[in-house]
Amino acid sequence: MWYCNSKGADDVLIARDVQHIKRRDIVLKRELGEGAFGKVFLAECYNLSPTNDKMLVAVKALKDPTLAARKDFQREAELLTNLQHEHIVKFYGVCGDGDPLIMVFEYMKHGDLNKFLRAHGPDAMILVDGQPRQAKGELGLSQMLHIASQIASGMVYLASQHFVHRDLATRNCLVGANLLVKIGDFGMSRDVYSTDYYRVGGHTMLPIRWMPPESIMYRKFTTESDVWSFGVILWEIFTYGKQPWFQLSNTEVIECITQGRVLERPRVCPKEVYDIMLGCWQREPQQRLNIKEIYKILHALGKATPIYLDILG
Ligand code: AMP
């Protein structure tokens, strides 16, 4: 988990206590995915809410933790407890004693946004009677704008809490029913999407394709560098989940970004939306759009009739 509080831990306004969930109240059902720190499972959780006696949840399990991993886990649980917003994945609590360490989150039934975009793009195929067929249900412009403005809304909240995320990308967002999208980073997407990260020195893996020049060159991460990453998220949405700079190697990407090249406008992207991307990719962090402005523009575009948006221009 990369959340960091740029003002220092003392400035978190409401410090809620981490909720403890009993191990016997969690019944694992199946694996949802695997990451650098452990596995994610679909599970049933009993006695979580006064209205439902059992609920579907997603649990992150950390097996055989070292002392340092236990500390990170505790810190992450405290941060997550204090981040509550309709576009941040809901964190219910932990089983923090014994092994494995478990974190309990709301279950988002369509999984991560990158997979979702690919499954709803022009290249998506499904098997019908064992034969590959074109999957229907390609995302339209208004759905793409809806997805983007929900992520922007979550980011407005993170910025208001002085949290710098550092790893915003569609693989770290989750999709629930009715196209509800939330920022839901478990900090363990690294294994599944290992080609999205670049190893520098020992264990540090950096999502360089989503990073602005100042983060690549000086490891400077700020609310403005998160805005740059949001521009890349927009590009991912409008390419149905393509990897940014997919045609380039990691070292070529570093060269390209530090020299000031930016991603091209996707084929289905209106000029108005590409202008937002360009506003996120200003070299000077202070010149970038701020996330509140971005949210407002996207929200307004989402309301405009698609016919007024300039897809060809
Ligand atoms: P992560 O390592 O956090 O990216 O999680 C691995 C995979 O588990 C993701 O690619 C998602 O498809 C799935 N996953 C993670 N969290 C959830 C959740 N809260 N609800 C549903 N699926 C999830």
Side-chain angles (χ1 to χ4, degrees):
M1 171 63 65
W2 291 72
Y3 290 123
C4 89
N5 183 336
S6 58
K7 282 172 77 187
D10 294 344
D11 291 323
V12 174
L13 289 177
I14 322 148
R16 296 181 184 86
D17 284 333
V18 177
Q19 192 72 35
H20 285 268
I21 295 169
K22 294 194 182 74
R23 221 163 268 272
R24 62 162 192 267
D25 282 342
I26 297 173
V27 181
L28 300 187
K29 288 177 76 79
R30 68 179 165 88
E31 197 179 312
L32 292 170
E34 184 160 9
F37 300 111
K39 291 187 172 176
V40 182
F41 296 92
L42 174 65
E44 280 171 348
C45 189
Y46 290 82
N47 304 315
L48 201 53
S49 98
T51 47
N52 285 342
D53 76 319
K54 74 174 177 190
M55 276 170 72
L56 280 180
V57 292
V59 307
K60 166 184 173 176
L62 183 64
K63 254 183 116 37
D64 304 325
T66 59
L67 192 61
R70 264 183 193 280
K71 279 198 178 138
D72 282 353
F73 184 89
Q74 184 60 31
R75 208 181 87 88
E76 193 175 320
E78 280 160 21
L79 287 178
L80 286 167
T81 301
N82 287 295
L83 287 179
Q84 298 193 23
H85 184 263
E86 56 191 326
H87 295 296
I88 304 289
V89 73
K90 208 169 160 50
F91 174 65
Y92 290 122
V94 297
C95 297
D97 44 342
D99 184 46
L101 291 175
I102 284 177
M103 282 189 185
V104 181
F105 295 86
E106 75 180 298
Y107 172 57
M108 301 287 281
K109 73 174 189 181
H110 295 298
D112 79 74
L113 176 59
N114 189 265
K115 219 167 24 187
F116 182 86
L117 291 167
R118 287 169 188 261
H120 292 85
D123 303 331
M125 301 293 260
I126 48 167
L127 288 178
V128 179
D129 299 329
Q131 298 299 312
R133 292 263 176 83
Q134 170 75 48
K136 45 184 189 300
E138 216 171 287
L139 289 174
L141 180 57
S142 66
Q143 290 164 315
M144 289 172 161
L145 291 170
H146 184 52
I147 292 170
S149 65
Q150 293 178 78
I151 299 168
S153 162
M155 285 177 63
V156 169
Y157 170 74
L158 289 181
S160 77
Q161 300 295 300
H162 307 281
F163 277 96
V164 179
H165 186 288
R166 300 197 198 196
D167 196 8
L168 289 165
T170 58
R171 65 181 169 275
N172 288 328
C173 298
L174 291 162
V175 185
N178 302 318
L179 209 62
L180 177 62
V181 177
K182 302 194 181 193
I183 299 172
D185 176 21
F186 287 77
M188 49 191 291
S189 47
R190 246 141 276 205
D191 270 2
V192 190
Y193 292 97
S194 57
T195 53
D196 286 346
Y197 294 87
Y198 180 57
R199 190 183 292 279
V200 281
H203 288 295
T204 318
M205 300 277 277
L206 291 175
I208 49 163
R209 290 164 198 268
W210 285 260
M211 282 162 53
E214 76 276 7
S215 307
I216 292 180
M217 294 189 296
Y218 315 117
R219 306 286 152 81
K220 197 166 162 23
F221 292 93
T222 57
T223 297
E224 291 78 31
S225 62
D226 275 356
V227 162
W228 177 290
S229 308
F230 181 77
V232 183
I233 287 186
L234 270 180
W235 187 92
E236 289 185 272
I237 295 172
F238 281 83
T239 56
Y240 299 96
K242 285 215 171 100
Q243 189 190 47
W245 305 111
F246 57 87
Q247 66 283 36
L248 302 183
S249 69
N250 286 330
T251 41
E252 286 168 340
V253 169
I254 291 177
E255 201 171 292
C256 183
I257 296 175
T258 51
Q259 281 175 359
R261 260 183 71 192
V262 295
L263 291 158
E264 278 173 17
R265 172 175 157 190
R267 205 170 43 81
V268 300
C269 177
K271 182 179 174 305
E272 290 87 341
V273 176
Y274 192 56
D275 284 343
I276 304 178
M277 293 183 205
L278 295 177
C280 295
W281 299 332
Q282 291 295 308
R283 192 178 183 90
E284 255 328 297
Q286 299 310 320
Q287 301 280 305
R288 291 175 201 152
L289 288 171
N290 81 44
I291 193 64
K292 265 194 185 155
E293 285 165 351
I294 294 172
Y295 173 71
K296 268 198 216 147
I297 303 171
L298 284 169
H299 196 70
L301 287 176
K303 285 194 167 159
T305 322
I307 208 155
Y308 295 122
L309 293 177
D310 187 4
I311 299 190
L312 299 170

